[in-house]
Amino acid sequence: AQSVAQPEDQVNVAEGNPLTVKCTYSVSGNPYLFWYVQYPNRGLQFLLKYITGDNLVKGSYGFEAEFNKSQTSFHLKKPSALVSDSALYFCAVRDKAGGGNKLTFGTGTQLKVEL
Amino acid sequence: NAGVTQTPKFQVLKTGQSMTLQCAQDMNHEYMSWYRQDPGMGLRLIHYSVGAGITDQGEVPNGYNVSRSTTEDFPLRLLSAAPSQTSVYFCASSYYGSPNTGELFFGEGSRLTVL
């Protein structure tokens, strides 16, 4: 079975500082990894994904994520946080060998960026 | 572009009542799915479909039925509502297969309360 862990319920960052939102995963084979963002009272929006290739993946709104196979991690990063980045962030995984687009989501990390 | 449209946005039911949450997408996506979002539990997959006439169970299918008679529509039926089904429900769709694997498009959500 595939699973995702987001160890932090909330991350607080000052505007302009770098941010990291952590994610570790477990799959039986090679993973597809994703980050989604949810703003209040909205559906989730796709940010970025790792399928294969370069371990550093760049996505929307200046976010990037680093795939680390040995540590089974896929942490989300941004060099300089904005107040508008405040939202709920979800990491998700899918086993490449699995069928369909059945993603398993983590429990989410609330990011709060303060002035 | 409408994207993924869910109705209703809010619904209050009494225990034992039945209802249908509607989901429609206008992107010609083969894959459609229903998730429920509960505090501290992230998103959990209820049912999914990889094309018209094909449905399958996700992680938490009990108490829910689905059908897929057209590519566009994927309704979720609650057969006999229970308080444990109080949740926010999200419909999500995507193309099926590479290179768009995992890039789900979400609706705005349907908030259901069962008394």
Side-chain angles (χ1 to χ4, degrees):
Chain A
Q2 55 198 37
S3 65
V4 170
Q6 293 182 242
E8 302 154 318
D9 290 336
Q10 182 161 321
V11 170
N12 296 322
V13 177
E15 188 175 50
N17 283 359
L19 69 87
T20 299
V21 182
K22 296 179 180 178
C23 171
T24 58
Y25 67 90
S26 175
V27 294
S28 56
N30 292 316
Y32 289 149
L33 293 158
F34 308 87
W35 277 100
Y36 284 80
V37 60
Q38 184 181 31
Y39 297 100
N41 300 314
R42 304 294 299 274
L44 279 70
Q45 298 176 31
F46 170 79
L47 268 183
L48 52 80
K49 67 181 178 183
Y50 171 82
I51 301 296
T52 188
D54 195 346
N55 290 342
L56 185 63
V57 178
K58 294 187 183 299
S60 306
Y61 312 121
F63 283 94
E64 58 189 27
E66 186 167 12
F67 171 64
N68 187 317
K69 189 172 183 178
S70 63
Q71 297 186 4
T72 61
S73 67
F74 190 57
H75 300 332
L76 181 69
K77 301 181 180 183
K78 187 174 182 182
S80 179
L82 298 172
V83 172
S84 58
D85 293 330
S86 299
L88 185 58
Y89 290 81
F90 288 95
C91 183
V93 67
R94 203 209 96 182
D95 188 337
K96 279 186 183 179
N101 277 334
K102 291 167 57 180
L103 301 189
T104 297
F105 286 85
T107 53
T109 299
Q110 186 71 48
L111 174 66
K112 187 173 182 181
V113 182
E114 300 167 310
L115 290 170
Chain B
N1 291 337
V4 179
T5 302
Q6 290 183 234
T7 56
K9 293 191 186 307
F10 301 94
Q11 183 72 48
V12 179
L13 290 178
K14 295 181 179 179
T15 297
Q17 288 184 318
S18 63
M19 76 157 299
T20 299
L21 299 177
Q22 301 290 346
C23 176
Q25 52 91 9
D26 62 358
M27 297 171 282
N28 204 30
H29 286 164
E30 303 94 340
Y31 182 84
M32 297 186 74
S33 57
W34 278 100
Y35 285 87
R36 59 178 288 174
Q37 183 179 21
D38 302 292
M41 303 193 74
L43 278 81
R44 292 180 292 169
L45 182 64
I46 304 171
H47 284 286
Y48 67 98
S49 168
V50 299
I54 305 170
T55 64
D56 207 345
Q57 296 181 351
E59 181 184 356
V60 288
N62 292 341
Y64 307 94
N65 273 357
V66 292
S67 59
R68 185 94 179 270
S69 56
T70 67
T71 299
E72 295 79 17
D73 300 299
F74 191 47
L76 178 72
R77 298 181 185 84
L78 280 70
L79 308 173
S80 178
S84 61
Q85 294 179 303
T86 294
S87 187
V88 181
Y89 292 85
F90 288 99
C91 180
S93 71
S94 74
Y95 294 108
Y96 183 60
S98 298
N100 299 301
T101 297
E103 292 183 39
L104 295 174
F105 290 78
F106 281 81
E108 297 281 287
S110 297
R111 186 177 294 273
L112 175 66
T113 300
V114 183
L115 303 176

